[in-house]
Amino acid sequence: MRLSCQQEDLHRGLSAVARAIPARTTLPITQHILLEAQDGAITLSATDAETIAITYRIEAEIEEPGSITMPSRLLSDFIATLPHDKISMSLAERSRQVNLSCARNTASIGGMDPDDFPPIPPVGDAGTVRMDADRLRRAITQTVFSAATDDSRPVLTGVHFAISDKQMRLAAADGFRLSVHTMDLDEETEERAIIVPARALGELGRLLGEATEGAVSMTFNQANTQVQFDLGHAKLMAQLIQGTFPNYEQLIPNQTTTQTVVLVKDFIRETRIASIFARDGSGIVRLIATPGEGGEPGRLTIIARAEEVGDNEGELDAVVEGDEAKIAFNGRYLTDVLQVVDVDRVAVETTSPSSPGVIRPIGDERFVHVVMPMFVQW
């Protein structure tokens, strides 16, 4: 094998596929990246051999085709520190030692037999959904953070995809909050419901962040156990989570007694300030919405208390419709959702201190977030 490519291209590709490398494994080969050189390109592949695999294609000058696996961390760290210049690689026949050179730097890295690399099975084409890359990136950003991080209920560690006609709805919940994003598709498709691991979607979101133009193809296998997202230069394959996702529609309140509209940038600033004090108070942030009187604007008061430490109170101008309302949330949950809202104002809809609160972006009906209240003494 003999080839050359640009440092920035190889660094970008290695960074992308390395996210599929497992933190712990009993298979040493899964700590390696498979490099295949042929047809004027290098294909980089990594997998945890269980739930996720990523392949990434970069342009290269191929003098002699070939393949090898190399240790991910060593290779990635070395390539990242090289200057932006051409990198040359060579591998002698029947050898496992790869020679690399870039500018005045040279190295030799030992690899493993590419035949030992876990195979990445083709997904096939039992069904394909095509969608806009930027729309999908936004949908992932606004849902994946609400998925559970523990395995006590495996279905909650994924994001539910409900596909029908020309619409796809993504939903994630961890038992304390729920995020739902509805996106339009450009063409009608077969009705289908799947659960994609949140970890895989998090990595997909990073890949989509490289370029927000173009289309993404989502393909399923015949058994409906695997999904592949094809971005053109990159592919991500994931093992689907089997099980029944909760009926989240019934968790979204149909009626509320108070709607409070505030500016997102002000709300997130005051929530972050309150969260500093809430760290020593179980993370509790109290909200009090007060309607305006006599032509005066309403206000939203944000309070955090920590026993034996101190307290904090902030106030925002707000448009409050309905009754005065009091409710308490986990401050981190508020910050998480406000960070993914891409409009200027949000509405906080409440019914009682013990009922779920609903956060809706003003002017964007695609996204809705439900968060469970915390029970406090007022």
Side-chain angles (χ1 to χ4, degrees), residues 36 98 142 181 193 199 211 231 233 251 263 269 298 313 323 328 365:
E36 299 171 289
V98 181
Q142 292 188 337
H181 181 106
R199 179 198 169 201
L231 286 66
H233 66 288
L251 301 177
L263 290 172
R269 182 189 66 241
E313 181 174 316
D323 305 327
E365 298 181 354

Side-chain angles (χ1 to χ4, degrees), residues 148-169:
T149 55
D150 65 88
D151 295 329
S152 58
R153 294 185 65 187
V155 293
L156 296 185
T157 64
V159 176
H160 185 261
F161 282 60
I163 307 166
S164 63
D165 297 328
K166 298 180 69 174
Q167 195 175 80
M168 182 166 72
R169 175 172 290 185

Side-chain angles (χ1 to χ4, degrees), residues 52-182:
I52 185 175
I54 300 175
T55 65
Y56 199 101
R57 181 182 173 93
I58 63 171
E59 293 183 357
E61 297 176 9
I62 311 297
E63 296 180 34
E64 293 180 13
S67 61
I68 189 68
T69 74
M70 287 186 279
S72 171
R73 185 171 181 181
L74 175 62
L75 180 62
S76 298
D77 289 350
F78 174 62
I79 298 300
T81 56
L82 292 176
H84 289 188
D85 206 337
K86 181 177 286 189
I87 295 176
S88 297
M89 291 189 197
S90 62
L91 174 66
E93 191 174 352
R94 290 187 296 275
S95 170
R96 294 288 176 262
Q97 206 72 19
V98 181
N99 297 311
L100 301 93
S101 63
C102 178
R104 297 184 177 182
N105 296 274
T106 60
S108 177
I109 298 178
M112 296 177 69
D113 190 338
D115 292 337
D116 294 334
F117 192 79
I120 301 174
V123 172
D125 191 5
T128 299
V129 179
R130 293 175 179 83
M131 65 201 82
D132 179 78
D134 189 44
R135 286 185 212 162
L136 179 59
R137 180 195 59 78
R138 188 179 299 112
I140 291 172
T141 300
Q142 292 188 337
T143 54
V144 71
F145 71 94
S146 290
T149 55
D150 65 88
D151 295 329
S152 58
R153 294 185 65 187
V155 293
L156 296 185
T157 64
V159 176
H160 185 261
F161 282 60
I163 307 166
S164 63
D165 297 328
K166 298 180 69 174
Q167 195 175 80
M168 182 166 72
R169 175 172 290 185
L170 280 66
D174 63 3
F176 302 99
R177 53 185 171 173
L178 164 70
S179 290
V180 181
H181 181 106
T182 303

Side-chain angles (χ1 to χ4, degrees), residues 270 273-274 277 288 301-305 311-315:
E270 294 300 329
I273 293 172
F277 289 82
I288 302 176
T301 306
I302 303 170
I303 303 170
R305 300 172 186 157
D311 53 49
N312 165 258
E313 181 174 316
E315 191 174 286

Side-chain angles (χ1 to χ4, degrees), residues 17 48 65 79 170 202 256 272 318 356:
V17 301
D48 63 4
I79 298 300
L170 280 66
T256 56
R272 283 172 172 162

